[in-house]
Amino acid sequence: MKRLPIILAIFFSQIPQFSAAQFLPTNLSSKENRAAKKWVNKTYRSLSQDEKLGQLFIVALYTNKGEEHIQSVRQIIENEQIGGLILMQDDAGRHINLVNEFQRKSKVKMLIGMDAEWGLFQRIPAAHKLPWAITLGAVQDKSLIYEMSSKIAEDAKKIGVNWDFAPVVDVNTNPQNPIIGNRSFGSEVGNVTASALAYAKGLQDNGVLAAIKHFPGHGDTDTDSHLELPVVSHDIQRLENVEMAPFRNLMNEKIGGVMVAHLYVPALENRQGVPASVSEKIVTGILKNQLKYNGLIITDALNMNAVADRYKAGELDALAFKAGNDIMLFSQDVKKGKKLIQNELDKNEIPKWRLKESVKKILLTKYYLGLNDLQPRNSGNILAEINNNSHRKLAQKIYANALTLIKNEGKLLPLKTSETYYFVPLEEADYNTFYSELEKRGAKIILKKPSEIGSIPHNSKVLVCFHKDNSTAYKPYKISDESQAILKEMAKNHQVILNVFGSPYALRDIDIGRIPAVAVAYENNDDSMIAAAKAFLGKTKIHGRLPVLVDDSLKAGTGIDLEEE
């Protein structure tokens, strides 16, 4: 398996008439150059026109939709010789066996993609969940992000995945964003760029392609593109300084893929309601010509309502390819898409060199992913391999490094085992791991339900925690009126230590002026609660920083270091 930072440095010149040699990276040995060139040219010549068109498409494979769905995917692979699959829910062993079968049926081995931003868990519940991007954005040591994405690459390869559609580089400036939110590294361009680079390098140094997304920037929307078409209405200067800035910063970092969003951006596309993913002005004019990106350009999923409600299946694929995309993700009608693209080629509505350009980029990427010599994967012990103690240790280390201390008046933290604390858990999620970990590590903790807070002696030290439901990345961060009222009452009578096991945006509705100690743990799961318990008792250093602007008093970068004892 070759290391991926070497790929995609210079694929082709800006002149349409190019030679095959222009597809090769410049920093390889002459022997490697010759081998890559030979395989790409030989494979390209071996393909019929229909097979070349097939390389442009990726379709979805689910293992929880029954045999009829699986058979339909099998037929598409056999009949259309598509370029790849995106693995969806939910059985790792079944995925491996099907991928092994389908790769055998493919004349050119397929790119196997997955949305695995926080590990395989995003699609496979039996895998171990790793932290969300917002948590990673709070981590100051970006080598931990590299370590995490390296682990994701290791797991991905075990199930046959060679392309992780990650990282998200959207700058989340809108707290009401329903689809990015926790998936963004934060609201600051510099932090997003540094975090995304570490993530992408961790993948590609370990043989899995990355794809930065969602170009030209999905961070300031209050609409979910899975449901309808979001509009980003900023002017050019703002778009260049914020939304597009991480993409521009990462253009020369040899990241193998860019995913284009289903967004309407009037400042970039003057045709009313035309999404970025089918806009030639955006994909070709900006991403390819202005930003000089020469790697693989892939659409966001074409089944999303933002585009699927506007265009017919197949027609959408042809529009996306004409705009400049190399790969149509989650195609809903490959056969029709191929036919319509060929019609456009025949009429010279799409120049013929475009197909050669895209197919050779795809083939060269496949070569450097090792698909010219692909070996089947083994499903025998897969669940133990993608969910074990190594994952838990890594996750807890990252959560510990992300934990952010905002206030610590009176030095209430770290907790002292010689003192007694009351614990009042609020909100809807489980808190038992945090409570039991504190007890296990020697803390004197008395649990009180919200209905029992009247029995807490005046001026006690009270640990109040918001335990938010983090079962998905899309759960709302809002704190209930009831919890807000309880916290306010507690702050009047006690020395409160507030910790948010959830998004830092939860603090938008909280007056922390009378709360002496405030921390954010970002997520509510066993690993984050164990890490927080250790840190609260002084066993690990606290040195995370807020990755987002919460409000005027809580800006991105806010945080206090607390050394371990």
Side-chain angles (χ1 to χ4, degrees):
M1 178 69 66
K2 289 99 177 163
R3 289 163 61 89
L4 293 199
I6 61 175
I7 73 169
L8 305 172
I10 296 179
F11 270 104
F12 56 92
S13 71
Q14 298 305 309
I15 303 171
Q17 302 301 319
F18 48 80
S19 68
Q22 289 169 308
F23 283 94
L24 298 176
T26 58
N27 55 342
L28 301 179
S29 69
S30 59
K31 182 177 180 180
E32 289 172 316
N33 273 327
R34 289 194 298 272
K37 177 182 176 180
K38 181 179 179 180
W39 186 85
V40 168
N41 287 339
K42 179 180 179 181
T43 304
Y44 183 81
R45 289 193 299 268
S46 75
L47 299 177
S48 68
Q49 182 72 356
D50 189 66
E51 289 169 341
K52 290 172 185 173
L53 290 167
Q55 290 297 303
L56 308 176
F57 296 87
I58 289 178
V59 302
L61 172 65
Y62 293 79
T63 58
N64 63 350
K65 283 193 173 183
E67 290 304 314
E68 185 177 349
H69 163 76
I70 291 171
Q71 181 57 25
S72 71
V73 174
R74 183 178 284 114
Q75 290 175 346
I76 291 171
I77 291 168
E78 292 176 350
N79 297 335
E80 308 299 339
Q81 286 294 303
I82 56 174
L85 296 172
I86 176 172
L87 303 189
M88 305 299 288
Q89 289 84 359
D90 64 339
D91 185 320
R94 183 81 165 119
H95 271 312
I96 291 171
N97 293 334
L98 287 170
V99 167
N100 285 341
E101 175 200 338
F102 294 162
Q103 291 286 31
R104 287 195 299 270
K105 296 177 183 293
S106 299
K107 181 175 179 178
V108 179
K109 304 308 181 191
M110 292 183 291
L111 292 168
I112 307 297
M114 177 182 275
D115 291 310
E117 296 163 27
W118 47 92
L120 304 192
F121 178 85
Q122 189 171 353
R123 292 290 180 242
I124 299 174
H128 196 88
K129 186 201 171 299
L130 296 171
W132 292 330
I134 195 169
T135 308
L136 300 176
V139 173
Q140 299 307 291
D141 180 1
K142 299 307 179 187
S143 70
L144 291 175
I145 301 177
Y146 181 95
E147 187 177 349
M148 182 180 118
S149 59
S150 298
K151 188 69 171 178
I152 292 172
E154 176 187 321
D155 290 346
K157 289 189 293 186
K158 288 174 181 175
I159 67 167
V161 168
N162 44 54
W163 195 353
D164 183 1
F165 298 128
V168 169
V169 302
D170 302 318
V171 183
N172 199 86
T173 57
N174 189 340
Q176 308 305 323
N177 197 320
I179 192 61
I180 303 302
N182 290 318
R183 300 167 62 200
S184 167
F185 294 113
S187 62
E188 303 301 302
V189 169
N191 187 31
V192 169
T193 300
S195 300
L197 180 59
Y199 190 110
K201 284 185 176 295
L203 291 177
Q204 296 194 163
D205 284 356
N206 291 279
V208 171
L209 203 67
I212 52 176
K213 61 185 185 183
H214 307 80
F215 186 81
H218 207 318
D220 190 9
T221 65
D222 56 11
T223 302
D224 181 355
S225 51
H226 293 84
L227 305 177
E228 55 185 302
L229 182 67
V231 178
V232 179
S233 56
H234 295 300
D235 60 26
I236 290 287
Q237 184 175 1
R238 154 68 192 237
L239 291 169
E240 290 182 345
N241 290 340
V242 179
E243 276 72 20
M244 291 194 291
F247 294 95
R248 184 183 64 247
N249 294 344
L250 294 166
M251 283 296 98
N252 295 319
E253 298 294 345
K254 302 184 180 67
I255 295 172
V258 171
M259 181 179 287
V260 184
H262 305 314
L263 303 168
Y264 174 46
V265 189
L268 305 180
E269 171 55 79
N270 58 11
R271 292 176 296 166
Q272 180 66 36
V274 173
S277 52
V278 295
S279 167
E280 189 170 0
K281 291 180 180 179
I282 293 174
V283 181
T284 296
I286 297 175
L287 182 55
K288 296 174 77 170
N289 293 344
Q290 289 184 23
L291 298 183
K292 309 296 184 187
Y293 183 67
N294 293 323
L296 288 181
I297 301 174
I298 183 170
T299 68
D300 207 344
L302 297 183
N303 69 325
M304 294 164 63
N305 289 348
V307 288
D309 286 350
R310 292 169 172 265
Y311 307 99
K312 294 180 181 178
E315 293 177 8
L316 177 56
D317 301 74
L319 286 170
F321 183 67
K322 187 174 184 180
N325 294 283
D326 299 302
I327 296 176
M328 277 57 73
L329 177 65
F330 224 118
S331 175
Q332 300 297 285
D333 194 334
V334 174
K335 188 178 183 69
K336 184 177 179 183
K338 289 166 72 173
K339 179 180 178 181
L340 293 177
I341 291 171
Q342 185 59 54
N343 288 345
E344 294 285 283
L345 290 167
D346 291 341
K347 294 184 297 183
N348 287 321
E349 292 294 327
I350 300 175
K352 291 181 173 57
W353 59 262
R354 267 294 323 284
L355 181 62
K356 182 179 183 182
E357 170 190 290
S358 290
V359 173
K360 286 200 169 184
K361 279 200 282 184
I362 293 165
L363 292 177
L364 188 59
T365 303
K366 290 183 174 185
Y367 179 86
Y368 284 113
L369 288 167
L371 301 190
N372 59 313
D373 186 28
L374 185 67
Q375 302 303 313
R377 299 301 189 259
N378 188 337
S379 62
N381 197 36
I382 189 60
L383 296 186
E385 292 183 15
I386 61 176
N387 191 344
N388 55 51
N389 196 46
S390 68
H391 297 85
R392 285 184 285 277
K393 285 183 177 179
L394 175 58
Q396 289 172 27
K397 180 165 64 171
I398 293 171
Y399 286 121
N401 277 267
L403 185 65
T404 303
L405 184 60
I406 293 170
K407 293 179 69 178
N408 193 26
E409 296 171 3
K411 297 183 179 180
L412 293 178
L413 290 174
L415 304 178
K416 299 173 178 61
T417 55
S418 60
E419 296 191 33
T420 297
Y421 299 85
Y422 292 86
F423 174 51
V424 181
L426 300 175
E427 291 300 291
E428 68 273 23
D430 178 64
Y431 59 84
N432 286 318
T433 297
F434 183 62
Y435 175 63
S436 62
E437 284 293 318
L438 288 173
E439 274 199 322
K440 184 172 73 176
R441 297 176 186 282
K444 297 176 183 176
I445 298 289
I446 300 173
L447 175 65
K448 290 290 184 180
K449 297 177 182 177
S451 60
E452 300 172 329
I453 61 175
S455 65
I456 300 175
H458 183 74
N459 201 34
S460 293
K461 293 178 179 177
V462 182
L463 186 56
V464 178
C465 293
F466 293 145
H467 291 269
K468 294 298 296 179
D469 180 358
N470 290 167
S471 55
T472 77
Y474 314 106
K475 292 286 185 177
Y477 63 78
K478 298 286 287 184
I479 303 300
S480 68
D481 291 343
E482 180 184 11
S483 291
Q484 290 184 50
I486 292 170
L487 177 64
K488 187 175 182 180
E489 186 64 26
M490 299 292 288
K492 290 179 183 178
N493 301 306
H494 304 291
Q495 301 175 65
V496 171
I497 303 162
L498 173 64
N499 186 41
V500 180
F501 285 104
S503 168
Y505 287 131
L507 294 174
R508 286 170 59 81
D509 298 322
I510 304 298
D511 180 5
I512 64 172
R514 297 188 62 178
I515 303 172
V518 180
V520 179
Y522 298 96
E523 302 181 45
N524 192 79
N525 56 53
D526 286 347
D527 288 330
S528 66
M529 286 191 276
I530 291 169
K534 289 180 179 178
F536 274 32
L537 286 166
K539 305 300 182 184
T540 57
K541 179 180 179 180
I542 299 177
H543 57 124
R545 296 291 185 267
L546 286 181
V548 294
L549 171 69
V550 175
D551 57 32
D552 289 340
S553 64
L554 292 174
K555 300 183 183 299
T558 298
I560 302 169
D561 286 353
L562 188 64
E563 298 297 328
E564 62 183 285
E565 293 191 335

